[in-house]
Amino acid sequence: MTMLDDLTTAATWPAAYPPGYAVVDVETTGLARDDRIISAAVYRLDAQGNVEDHWYTLVNPERDPGPVWIHGLTSDVLEGAPLFPEIAEEFAARLDGRVLVAHNAIFDWQMIAREYARAERTAPVKQRLCTIALSKELALPLPNHKLESLAAHYGVVQQRAHHALDDARVLAEAFRPSLHAAAAGGVRLPLLECRPLTEWTDSPATPRIGYQASYRGGSATWRASRKRPACPHPNPGRYEPDRPLKQGMRVAFSGDTSVDRELLEDRAIEAGLHVATSVSRLTSLLVTNDPDSATSKTVKAKSFGTPVVDEAAFTQLLRDVTPADG
């Protein structure tokens, strides 16, 4: 038993802490409102973060699986997998009465909530805890907010990155010492309420150019400019297809995005990328869901030969950004 365990025995454990946790990871076809879960894993933990059991399933999304080069799940692999309504009850049993724990928990929760809404059910989750937020509360000396950085901090070895079961295992092993550190330091856990979706309809969302879901009650397509911190890394050059992004790359966005643009930009900056407001010969990558549009950025990207990817591919690439050259 370590000194940290001595400080956080059951007798001294904070009474306000939850009685149990469900550490979750889902792999998806993308990040848009109509994207689907293709695999899910849950590690159930007791009040002090000890593993009770784990569960994993593939899910047939009934559509293209998205960025196969990231998650490795092809249409052939998923064809015989159960549909989400067929695993919804067992998934719910794993979540029931526990705090949902995930790395960037808002993403996993939204994807899960949407799947349950489609199945005309409600996920039995009242609260969630984001391990990114917890690491910030603990002021952990991490170079970035990637799961692999949190894992490395605690000496947890990743075996299959972007495989839901292994990602959930890694997070469970990293969450336990974080939980104990929080208990020993009297840190209040960053718990947030999980509200089920109620607005789902059978008809899929129709993308509208110039529209973002974060805007309410108006047709404005502009966003207030924000002062961004200077990127601390040199520009390593253009993005190369089938290769990871690298810290310092200049990334520009064009057109409508399913995820709030500011959230995408913040995630890019946290990963060490340079968010550019325009496209030039120095731009490493343009992110757009409408590469055939005639916006100034897409026109310039074509003239400069700048690589272009869509939003779903970009958000997957964000999960494995290579560190800048030292």
Side-chain angles (χ1 to χ4, degrees):
M1 180 178 290
T2 67
M3 181 178 297
L4 186 59
D5 289 327
D6 287 335
L7 293 172
T8 55
T9 60
T12 60
W13 197 258
Y17 277 24
Y21 305 88
V23 177
V24 174
D25 185 78
V26 297
E27 295 298 322
T28 68
T29 60
L31 293 181
R33 184 176 183 271
D34 59 346
D35 273 304
R36 307 298 302 271
I37 289 176
I38 55 176
S39 66
V42 181
Y43 267 72
R44 290 196 290 190
L45 312 181
D46 65 16
Q48 296 188 26
N50 301 304
V51 174
E52 296 177 333
D53 59 28
H54 64 267
W55 172 80
Y56 170 75
T57 184
L58 295 175
V59 181
N60 185 341
E62 301 182 280
R63 54 157 289 177
D64 184 275
V68 173
W69 62 92
I70 299 293
H71 52 64
L73 299 176
T74 65
S75 296
D76 290 341
V77 171
L78 297 171
E79 183 177 3
L83 304 179
F84 188 86
E86 296 172 335
I87 60 96
E89 183 174 354
E90 186 170 6
F91 197 0
R94 304 271 168 178
L95 302 173
D96 194 21
R98 297 169 185 267
V99 170
L100 184 151
V101 177
H103 206 64
N104 190 22
I106 182 61
F107 168 73
D108 294 81
W109 164 244
Q110 287 181 342
M111 296 303 300
I112 291 168
R114 287 170 184 152
E115 289 288 7
Y116 274 95
R118 290 187 188 95
E120 299 182 345
R121 299 182 55 165
T122 300
V125 180
K126 303 300 183 184
Q127 291 180 307
R128 67 179 184 269
L129 186 155
C130 179
T131 46
I132 295 176
L134 181 58
S135 67
K136 291 179 179 179
E137 291 286 339
L138 297 173
L140 299 182
L142 306 178
N144 52 52
H145 300 303
K146 294 164 61 176
L147 175 58
E148 65 183 49
S149 296
L150 181 63
H153 177 75
Y154 288 116
V156 180
V157 178
Q158 285 186 297
Q159 297 173 353
R160 296 181 64 185
H162 305 307
H163 185 283
L165 183 60
D166 195 60
D167 281 352
R169 174 193 63 81
V170 168
L171 188 57
E173 292 184 18
F175 174 63
R176 183 176 183 275
S178 292
L179 180 63
H180 280 246
V187 175
R188 183 177 180 179
L189 297 180
L191 302 175
L192 294 176
E193 180 185 3
C194 287
R195 298 181 180 179
L197 296 180
T198 58
E199 79 282 5
W200 183 263
T201 62
D202 289 333
S203 59
T206 302
R208 287 179 284 162
I209 301 303
Y211 171 83
Q212 290 193 147
S214 60
Y215 300 144
R216 296 288 185 267
S219 59
T221 59
W222 57 270
R223 295 177 299 116
S225 62
R226 297 185 299 155
K227 183 175 178 60
R228 303 183 183 90
C231 183
H233 311 296
N235 186 353
R238 293 264 178 98
Y239 164 71
E240 298 179 23
D242 300 324
R243 309 244 334 165
L245 294 171
K246 193 170 187 176
Q247 289 183 331
M249 284 186 170
R250 295 174 66 95
V251 178
F253 297 88
S254 178
D256 179 38
T257 54
S258 299
V259 175
D260 184 10
R261 176 77 70 82
E262 291 186 359
L263 176 59
L264 281 178
E265 293 176 350
D266 286 345
R267 291 181 63 192
I269 291 170
E270 287 181 354
L273 302 175
H274 177 137
V275 173
T277 58
S278 61
V279 173
S280 71
R281 296 183 185 278
L282 298 177
T283 304
S284 306
L285 180 69
L286 175 66
V287 180
T288 178
N289 290 324
D290 190 8
D292 295 324
S293 66
T295 66
S296 61
K297 290 179 183 177
T298 56
V299 170
K300 287 182 178 179
K302 290 178 181 179
S303 66
F304 296 144
T306 304
V308 177
V309 300
D310 64 18
E311 178 186 352
F314 177 69
T315 51
Q316 292 286 351
L317 287 169
L318 273 181
R319 302 173 72 172
D320 279 311
V321 179
T322 302
D325 294 331

